[in-house]
Amino acid sequence: MSNNEKIKIKPGTLLYPLPAVMVTAGTIEKNNIITIAWTGIINTDPAILYISVKKSRYSHALISEAGEFVINLTTEKLARATDFAGVRSGKNFDKVKELGLTLIPGETNDTPMIAESPINLECKVMEVHEYPTHDMFIAEVVDAHISAEFVNENGSYDFGRMNLLAYNHGGYYGLDDEDMGRFGFSVMKEKTKCRKEKEERRARRQAMRRNSVKRQSEQKGGSNSKSKHKSKKALNS
Amino acid sequence: MSNNEKIKIKPGTLLYPLPAVMVTAGTIEKNNIITIAWTGIINTDPAILYISVKKSRYSHALISEAGEFVINLTTEKLARATDFAGVRSGKNFDKVKELGLTLIPGETNDTPMIAESPINLECKVMEVHEYPTHDMFIAEVVDAHISAEFVNENGSYDFGRMNLLAYNHGGYYGLDDEDMGRFGFSVMKEKTKCRKEKEERRARRQAMRRNSVKRQSEQKGGSNSKSKHKSKKALNS
C-alpha cells in the first residue's frame, strides 16, 4: 500500500479541526447557549463571520428575533460545558444554571456574554441565508472582549495561553502547548528566526512569572517583553 | 484582578482555532495552492462549505474561471508547506514544485488534489458573495477522498491519527494526541463511558499494530475492532 493511496468516500462535512464555540442568544432574563462548530470568518475588515443553525434549534428563534448573538470561545476547562450545550436543548434546560456559568452584559448587544470564556464577540446579524439543513446567520463583529489575564504587557493577546478547544470529527481536542511556527516562518531568515525565538522564550518566562504573582498583588511592574504575537500579517487569504 | 475581568478590544476576526487548509485551484497543467483559514461548513446535508479569498489573489481568478476548487486538509508534517502556500504568491512561484508536493487527478473536478493531504474535498462553486475585503465562494462537496492509511478496519475514519494542523491567531498548532471526550461525553452514563473507553483503547492498539506491519505486508487480517468514531451524532447545530 503506497502512502498516498486514496479511497473515495461519501462527500461529507470533513473539514477539520474546527472551533467549537458557545453561542449565547436572547437576553439576561431569557437566554440560551448553543455550541456551534459550523462557524468561520468571512471578511477581515470589518470582521464578518457566520454561524449555521438548524431551524429546529431553540436558539434559532432567539437569534432571529433579536438579530444578534455572542460568540464565546471555548477552552479545555470548558470542554464539558461545551459538549453539554451542544447536546441538550434550551427548551428543556436552563443551561447557564445547569453548567454553573456566569453571564455578564455585553457592550452593544442585549445578548449576554459568558464570563468564563476568554474571548467574547458581540455580533449583529446582517443577512440570513437558508440552506437545506441549516440557516446561515452572517453577522458583523461589533464589539469584542478579552479576559484581562490574556493581555500581555505590551497590549498583545496571548492566544497560546488560552488553551482553546478544537473539534475534530466528533472529538474535542486541546492544542499543543507550543506552536509549530508563526505565520511566515517558512520564509523567515535564520537570523530573524533565532531572534524571534529568543523573544518568545523571554515573553513566556515573563508571563509565567506574572501569573505566579498575580494573585498576591494587583500591582504589575513595567517590562520590555516583546510579544510572540507581534506579527501584523495573517492567514487571511 | 478577578479571573473574569474583561477588557474591551477592537472588534476583529478573533475566532479560533481554525483549520488552515491548502486549497488547490486550476488544472494539472496550470494550478496554484493557496492556504486558507477563512473557511467553514455551512450545511450538513448536502455538505456545503465556503472559502473566503481576496480578489487580488492569484487563485481567485483560477477558481472564478473554473467554478471549482479542492480543499486539502493539512497536517503537522505539512506545516511548512501550509505556511509557504499562504505567504508566497502563485504569480511568482510554482508552489507545487517548490514544496515537493504531488498532485493527483480528482474524480469530478479538473482541479487536482494534493496526494500528501489526508482528506481531499472536491468542491463545485454554487454562489459567490462579495464583501469589502474578501469574496466568499460557497460550494458543494461533490466528491471526497481519504488516504487509505486512515481508514479503520470497520470502515470508519481515524481523524485522531491524522495529526491535523490548527491555526490559532498567527500560530500553527498540532492537536493533543488524545481527545478530551467525544460528542455527547458530558451526558454519557458511567457504564457506557467505561465500555467506550475500553473499545477505544483496543482500536488504538490494533491501529498501532496494523501500522507497524503495513510496510511488510499488503495482506490484512480481519478484526472485531470497534472504532472510536462510531457515533453518528455530531456537533452540527
Side-chain angles (χ1 to χ4, degrees):
Chain A
M1 189 192 293
S2 137
N3 246 342
N4 290 337
E5 190 196 331
K6 295 282 179 183
I7 294 174
K8 191 179 168 218
I9 56 177
K10 187 174 170 281
T13 57
L14 301 174
L15 176 66
Y16 295 108
L18 294 174
V21 298
M22 287 201 278
V23 172
T24 35
T27 60
I28 284 277
E29 292 78 30
K30 184 195 172 189
N31 54 61
N32 191 32
I33 305 175
I34 179 176
T35 301
I36 285 183
W38 290 184
T39 180
I41 302 292
I42 294 171
N43 191 74
T44 302
D45 189 20
I48 298 173
L49 47 71
Y50 82 101
I51 54 171
S52 274
V53 187
K54 279 185 186 159
K55 271 201 175 63
S56 58
R57 299 296 298 245
Y58 181 57
S59 291
H60 188 288
L62 293 176
I63 294 168
S64 297
E65 208 182 292
E68 56 173 56
F69 58 87
V70 174
I71 285 190
N72 307 274
L73 297 198
T74 58
T75 62
E76 295 180 32
K77 233 187 203 169
L78 293 170
R80 205 195 142 269
T82 302
D83 184 62
F84 189 90
V87 177
R88 291 295 189 224
S89 170
K91 281 170 197 149
N92 314 315
F93 282 90
D94 182 342
K95 294 188 199 173
V96 175
K97 207 172 139 191
E98 191 83 26
L99 294 169
L101 295 173
T102 318
L103 290 188
I104 51 176
E107 176 88 10
T108 307
N109 281 7
D110 288 328
T111 308
M113 324 191 292
I114 299 173
E116 289 81 1
S117 163
I119 294 278
N120 316 94
L121 307 174
E122 298 189 59
C123 303
K124 288 277 187 209
V125 176
M126 301 161 57
E127 307 161 21
V128 185
H129 299 252
E130 293 185 311
Y131 291 94
T133 59
H134 287 68
D135 285 356
M136 181 191 203
F137 292 90
I138 297 181
E140 186 177 339
V141 182
V142 290
D143 262 308
H145 309 265
I146 187 170
S147 296
E149 62 182 311
F150 298 116
V151 179
N152 293 324
E153 287 177 6
N154 66 354
S156 63
Y157 316 142
D158 200 337
F159 275 68
R161 270 198 296 122
M162 289 181 194
N163 297 322
L164 293 181
L165 200 61
Y167 186 65
N168 180 19
H169 200 242
Y172 302 95
Y173 286 80
L175 305 184
D176 288 345
D177 289 338
E178 299 279 324
D179 63 49
M180 301 189 63
R182 309 283 312 161
F183 179 80
F185 81 95
S186 67
V187 297
M188 213 178 262
K189 281 185 192 138
E190 212 43 53
K191 210 173 146 187
T192 317
K193 208 187 275 177
C194 284
R195 181 175 56 75
K196 290 231 170 236
E197 280 172 5
K198 210 170 151 187
E199 286 170 3
E200 279 175 28
R201 278 197 300 273
R202 198 196 303 150
R204 220 172 290 134
R205 277 198 308 271
Q206 286 172 334
M208 280 169 68
R209 269 202 299 273
R210 210 161 53 239
N211 283 338
S212 70
V213 298
K214 208 166 60 182
R215 279 177 205 86
Q216 301 163 26
S217 166
E218 293 292 288
Q219 197 70 33
K220 289 182 302 183
S223 154
N224 296 315
S225 76
K226 292 230 177 62
S227 158
K228 59 174 187 171
H229 299 286
K230 229 187 123 197
S231 167
K232 286 286 168 238
K233 289 184 77 178
L235 204 60
N236 55 6
S237 318
Chain B
M1 188 192 294
S2 136
N3 246 342
N4 290 337
E5 192 197 330
K6 293 284 178 184
I7 294 174
K8 193 183 165 213
I9 55 176
K10 185 172 173 280
T13 55
L14 300 174
L15 176 66
Y16 294 108
L18 295 174
V21 298
M22 288 202 275
V23 171
T24 35
T27 59
I28 284 276
E29 292 77 32
K30 183 193 171 191
N31 54 62
N32 191 32
I33 306 175
I34 179 176
T35 301
I36 286 183
W38 292 181
T39 180
I41 301 291
I42 294 171
N43 192 73
T44 302
D45 189 19
I48 298 174
L49 48 71
Y50 82 102
I51 53 171
S52 274
V53 187
K54 281 185 185 159
K55 272 202 174 60
S56 58
R57 299 295 299 244
Y58 181 58
S59 291
H60 187 289
L62 292 177
I63 293 168
S64 298
E65 207 182 293
E68 56 173 56
F69 59 86
V70 175
I71 286 190
N72 306 275
L73 297 197
T74 57
T75 62
E76 295 180 32
K77 233 187 203 169
L78 291 171
R80 205 195 143 267
T82 302
D83 184 61
F84 189 90
V87 177
R88 291 294 189 227
S89 170
K91 281 169 197 148
N92 313 316
F93 282 90
D94 181 343
K95 293 189 199 172
V96 175
K97 205 172 142 189
E98 191 82 26
L99 294 169
L101 295 174
T102 318
L103 291 188
I104 52 177
E107 176 86 11
T108 307
N109 281 8
D110 287 329
T111 307
M113 326 192 293
I114 299 174
E116 289 81 0
S117 163
I119 294 278
N120 316 92
L121 306 174
E122 298 189 59
C123 303
K124 288 278 185 208
V125 177
M126 300 162 55
E127 306 162 21
V128 185
H129 298 259
E130 293 185 312
Y131 290 92
T133 59
H134 286 68
D135 285 357
M136 172 169 66
F137 293 89
I138 296 181
E140 186 177 338
V141 182
V142 290
D143 261 307
H145 310 265
I146 187 171
S147 297
E149 61 182 313
F150 298 116
V151 179
N152 292 324
E153 285 177 9
N154 67 352
S156 63
Y157 316 141
D158 200 338
F159 274 68
R161 269 198 298 122
M162 287 180 195
N163 297 322
L164 293 181
L165 200 62
Y167 186 65
N168 180 20
H169 199 242
Y172 303 95
Y173 287 78
L175 305 184
D176 287 345
D177 289 338
E178 299 279 323
D179 63 48
M180 301 189 62
R182 310 283 312 163
F183 180 79
F185 81 95
S186 68
V187 298
M188 214 179 261
K189 283 188 192 133
E190 212 42 54
K191 209 174 145 187
T192 316
K193 207 187 278 176
C194 285
R195 181 177 53 79
K196 290 229 171 242
E197 279 171 7
K198 209 170 149 186
E199 286 170 3
E200 279 174 30
R201 279 196 301 273
R202 198 196 303 149
R204 218 172 293 135
R205 277 197 308 273
Q206 285 173 334
M208 280 169 68
R209 269 203 300 273
R210 210 164 49 242
N211 283 338
S212 70
V213 297
K214 207 167 57 180
R215 279 177 204 88
Q216 300 164 25
S217 164
E218 294 292 287
Q219 196 70 33
K220 289 182 303 186
S223 154
N224 296 315
S225 75
K226 292 230 177 63
S227 160
K228 59 175 187 169
H229 300 286
K230 227 187 123 196
S231 168
K232 286 287 167 240
K233 288 184 80 177
L235 205 60
N236 56 5
S237 318

